[in-house]
Amino acid sequence: MDGSREASTNSLLNDECYADFLTEDFDVKTYTAQAIHHAVIAEQLAKLAQGISQLDKELHSQVVARHEELLAQATGIESLEGVLQMMQTRIAALQGAVDRIRTKIVDPYNKIVARTAQLARLQVACDLLRRIIRILYLSKRLQGQLQGGSREITKAAQSLNELALSA
């Protein structure tokens, strides 16, 4: 930045007319109300127009002075956008792969869970059928022993005890 431009910018920043714009708590309504109250609107507008013109010139000179740097940054942003797009594409592909793998895992897992529950119910049913078969066998044997009369009474009592334990 050359000396005249720097002096111009510093004079702009140090001008009390523009000081209000540089504060953190600048309020347009308050500024406008004060300008109207002091009845110097035309003078204020002329100074603001001059300041805007000076800012435009400074902005233009900054762009011209840093043209290569700004161009490099714009190119860098474009390449970053390309990388970002590529990453988004890869993320979408990865998400699709995860969904396919999940389908390949979840479906068999659900089938295994259902078959395990079915197997558990079959085992319970088999245990019940074994007990029923044992009870039927013991009750037939008991009927035969009861028909045998008093000489088979001890065997009948033993069969009756086994029936009580099986039930």
Side-chain angles (χ1 to χ4, degrees):
M1 194 194 270
D2 65 4
S4 67
R5 228 182 320 149
E6 190 173 318
S8 162
T9 304
N10 284 337
S11 70
L12 185 65
L13 292 174
N14 293 332
D15 191 333
E16 105 179 25
C17 177
Y18 304 116
D20 292 338
F21 294 102
L22 299 174
T23 62
E24 289 289 325
D25 58 345
F26 175 74
D27 183 30
V28 174
K29 291 179 182 177
T30 306
Y31 180 81
T32 307
Q34 286 177 353
I36 291 172
H37 178 55
H38 291 90
V40 287
I41 296 172
E43 183 183 320
Q44 289 282 13
L45 286 176
K47 268 199 151 196
L48 286 176
Q50 178 187 2
I52 290 171
S53 174
Q54 202 170 356
L55 285 173
D56 282 342
K57 288 176 189 174
E58 181 61 27
L59 184 60
H60 178 70
S61 68
Q62 290 290 329
V63 168
V64 169
R66 293 188 171 90
H67 176 69
E68 292 298 321
E69 183 182 329
L70 292 172
L71 200 56
Q73 286 181 357
T75 304
I77 289 172
E78 286 178 5
S79 67
L80 284 176
E81 286 176 344
V83 169
L84 179 62
Q85 181 64 36
M86 181 180 62
M87 292 305 290
Q88 287 174 334
T89 302
R90 288 183 178 176
I91 288 170
L94 185 60
Q95 185 64 44
V98 166
D99 290 342
R100 285 191 303 277
I101 290 171
R102 181 179 295 134
T103 300
K104 288 180 180 180
I105 292 173
V106 169
D107 289 345
Y109 172 78
N110 288 338
K111 286 180 183 177
I112 289 172
V113 168
R115 298 297 168 127
T116 303
Q118 186 179 21
L119 179 62
R121 290 189 298 267
L122 283 171
Q123 287 174 334
V124 168
C126 284
D127 287 343
L128 286 174
L129 285 173
R130 277 192 214 100
R131 288 178 66 194
I132 290 171
I133 290 170
R134 175 80 176 143
I135 290 171
L136 285 174
Y137 168 76
L138 289 174
S139 50
K140 279 186 183 179
R141 190 172 80 184
L142 179 62
Q143 282 178 349
Q145 290 167 344
L146 289 177
Q147 288 175 356
S150 61
R151 62 184 173 90
E152 300 251 344
I153 196 84
T154 56
K155 290 182 183 177
Q158 187 179 9
S159 293
L160 193 57
N161 186 34
E162 285 181 45
L163 261 174
L165 291 176
S166 294

